[in-house]
Amino acid sequence: MRVLGIETSCDETGVAIYDSVGGLLAHALYSQIAIHAQYGGVVPELASRDHVRKTLPLIREVLESAGLAAGAIDGVAYTAGPGLIGALLVGAALGRSLAWAWGVPAIGVHHMEGHLLAPLLEDPAPAFPFVALLVSGGHTQLVDVAGVGQYRILGESLDDAAGEAFDKTAKILGLPYPGGPELARLAEQGDPRRFRFPRPMTDRPGLDFSFSGLKTFALNTLHNEIPGAADPAQTRADIARAFEDAVVDTLVIKCRRALKASGHRRLILAGGVSANRRLRREMDSAIAAVGGETYYPRPALCTDNGAMIAYAGWQRLRAGQHEPLSFAPRARWAMESLPGLGEA
């Protein structure tokens, strides 16, 4: 079974083809960074318009790359939510229309389920059950995963997601958009001993997160230190390092707690922040120390992409699930509401 996947939840247009025998046959991604950089963040209307321009050409590109004609596609998967509603409508309308024209089933995929299942595209793939840390610009969640569609939220951010906190702190430090990767690069030059930021909500039981206070702590530190700094550039790097260390340590502590609480040995990390090199190094070491295993998607599949949507869609289409001609993209959508593979 070959499934075309379309991802248009925010500011990246992703298209891919997944084959149940051959695996990932082709994938392409177009990022809108250049469009939104001058505004310092994503402008929803501009994102929607660019998806209109880019999605169909990317579909043609992946079909050509895979050496396939449209008639070789057996199903279409598109991101139905959560995300920017205008951006979601573009991918959903196009995906559902193509499925109708080709006479194949279509399925709306939950964006975060796509991220959660992305590590299963790798070799070796983690076996169920496992704990998933979904960590991106819009979400930070710990999920107990018994199987596809069998999800139990263990903890989540009560305010800013980790990726959102990275981006906002980068803006405070005067770094260009998108800020998260820029902050991580700056942190490589920082002195880890100069500042120590708090590790929020680690001094109490539970698996929820809170990152907005770290942003404020970084702002106050910057205002207090820069005026008298002999080397302002180094001070900014030191603040970036202290911020990154605090986020990474918090995520590691909570993941170890989640494994202990669930009784699982396997931990998967997915979402844009899971590409952070320091996070991977620290997580690998901490989880191995308690006899656990860590799994990640390749860096290209950490950010939003069509491959994860094609794969998640294949899982559900092969189980007989599909959408009617009407479709309803959702800006908000609880992942725990998703049906299991054996459910209607």
Side-chain angles (χ1 to χ4, degrees):
M1 184 180 196
R2 297 191 186 102
V3 176
L4 174 73
I6 301 171
E7 157 61 23
T8 63
S9 66
C10 190
D11 64 333
E12 290 170 315
T13 311
V15 179
I17 298 172
Y18 178 80
D19 183 273
S20 54
V21 176
L24 186 59
L25 300 184
H27 67 102
L29 184 70
Y30 175 79
S31 175
Q32 300 177 3
I33 287 175
I35 294 172
H36 302 288
Q38 61 183 306
Y39 304 101
V42 177
V43 181
E45 178 63 22
L46 295 181
S48 302
R49 292 181 183 182
D50 211 51
H51 287 310
V52 171
R53 287 191 290 267
K54 298 298 182 181
T55 307
L56 196 54
L58 283 180
I59 292 172
R60 296 193 185 104
E61 179 182 328
V62 297
L63 285 169
E64 182 178 351
S65 178
L68 298 174
I73 298 299
D74 302 305
V76 178
Y78 56 85
T79 303
L84 302 176
I85 193 63
L88 291 168
L89 279 166
V90 175
L94 181 55
R96 195 62 195 82
S97 298
L98 288 174
W100 178 81
W102 295 341
V104 299
I107 187 73
V109 171
H110 192 290
H111 178 76
M112 297 310 295
E113 180 175 61
H115 276 304
L116 187 152
L117 297 178
L120 275 66
L121 284 164
E122 307 300 347
D123 185 20
F128 298 110
F130 53 74
V131 169
L133 173 65
L134 305 180
V135 57
S136 66
H139 298 81
T140 301
Q141 294 178 318
L142 278 166
V143 188
D144 188 321
V145 182
V148 178
Q150 301 175 49
Y151 310 131
R152 181 169 62 93
I153 305 298
L154 300 174
E156 57 192 338
S157 182
L158 304 179
D159 40 57
D160 289 355
E164 183 181 5
F166 261 96
D167 289 340
K168 290 180 177 178
T169 303
K171 196 168 186 177
I172 288 169
L173 293 172
L175 300 175
Y177 173 86
E182 294 292 334
L183 187 147
R185 278 190 281 271
L186 182 61
E188 294 291 337
Q189 306 168 30
D191 180 351
R193 298 163 297 181
R194 184 172 178 189
F195 301 116
R196 179 175 173 82
F197 284 17
R199 275 55 175 165
M201 298 186 70
T202 59
D203 59 348
R204 67 190 75 174
L207 295 171
D208 287 331
F209 302 91
S210 173
F211 294 109
S212 65
L214 283 177
K215 173 188 61 186
T216 305
F217 201 95
L219 177 63
N220 291 336
T221 304
L222 184 71
H223 286 172
N224 292 335
E225 298 291 334
I226 286 295
D231 187 347
Q234 183 60 50
T235 296
R236 284 184 167 83
D238 296 342
I239 292 172
R241 177 60 185 269
F243 173 85
E244 185 180 57
D245 283 349
V247 173
V248 167
D249 284 355
T250 300
L251 294 174
V252 168
I253 290 167
K254 296 286 186 170
C255 285
R256 287 183 60 164
R257 285 184 187 175
L259 286 180
K260 183 177 181 180
S262 66
H264 303 325
R265 292 184 58 254
R266 289 175 289 274
L267 173 75
I268 71 119
L269 277 74
V273 180
S274 70
N276 182 283
R277 289 190 294 247
R278 194 179 311 282
L279 175 61
R280 290 193 177 204
R281 288 196 301 267
E282 296 298 325
M283 193 70 76
D284 286 345
S285 176
I287 299 307
V290 294
E293 302 169 355
T294 49
Y295 297 84
Y296 312 86
R298 70 200 76 165
L301 300 187
C302 289
T303 57
D304 297 349
N305 63 86
M308 68 184 194
I309 303 303
Y311 180 74
W314 168 75
Q315 288 277 6
R316 293 191 172 276
L317 287 169
R318 74 188 182 109
Q321 298 179 13
H322 57 86
E323 304 283 358
L325 277 174
S326 61
F327 57 88
R330 283 161 273 191
R332 297 182 181 276
W333 188 5
M335 195 164 64
E336 286 180 299
S337 69
L338 295 174
L341 293 189
E343 304 173 37

